[in-house]
Amino acid sequence: MYAHHQRLDTEEVQELRREGGRYLKELREARGLSQRQLAALVGTEYYTFISQLETGRGRIPPDRYRAWAEALDIDVRQFVQTLMRFYDPLTYAILFGPERGGDAGRGGPRGTTGQAG
């Protein structure tokens, strides 16, 4: 079973999580919310979960992304894209990183990749 492990150095993953936590904290503070208030808005029973996320010791469950985006008053796509940079940098790089070689890798007609077969 796939456990969604990143093939990145553990320290690199930890630093990305800390950066993600700082991002979440900045959004919360910009809204003028306390950790308790945000916890209530996103349906988290314990405000300490917010603290853990803000210090990089956890991840927002994907099924809660929409609730978080609404609570933080940010577009859900922008929110998830930014989180992906911290939570899943390999996928983020594939989806949003610089393109190489023009349209290479983009889906062509009927889902082809434009490669000769």
Side-chain angles (χ1 to χ4, degrees):
M1 180 178 222
Y2 181 64
H4 196 66
H5 293 287
Q6 294 287 321
R7 292 194 184 275
L8 298 172
D9 176 89
T10 302
E11 184 57 38
E12 185 178 357
V13 170
Q14 289 175 350
E15 181 55 32
L16 284 170
R17 292 281 172 85
R18 285 189 291 268
E19 287 179 42
R22 287 189 292 271
Y23 167 71
L24 293 173
K25 184 176 182 176
E26 288 171 9
L27 290 175
R28 176 181 59 78
E29 290 177 342
R31 284 281 327 269
L33 298 171
S34 69
Q35 290 178 344
R36 286 181 193 270
Q37 290 168 321
L38 179 57
L41 289 172
V42 299
T44 298
E45 188 173 351
Y46 301 104
Y47 79 93
T48 53
F49 179 62
I50 307 299
S51 176
Q52 290 174 343
L53 293 175
E54 290 182 354
T55 57
R57 290 179 288 141
R59 295 170 54 139
I60 297 171
D63 66 334
R64 304 303 304 153
Y65 287 160
R66 197 169 299 278
W68 276 76
E70 290 173 7
L72 295 169
D73 196 29
I74 186 170
D75 174 75
V76 68
R77 287 179 184 239
Q78 178 187 351
F79 182 65
V80 172
Q81 182 177 343
T82 303
L83 283 182
M84 185 179 281
R85 194 174 88 211
F86 304 118
Y87 290 178
D88 192 351
L90 301 176
T91 302
Y92 178 88
I94 291 168
L95 293 174
F96 308 109
E99 299 229 10
R100 296 174 200 187
D103 288 337
R106 287 189 178 184
R110 293 184 302 265
T112 64
T113 61
Q115 297 175 352

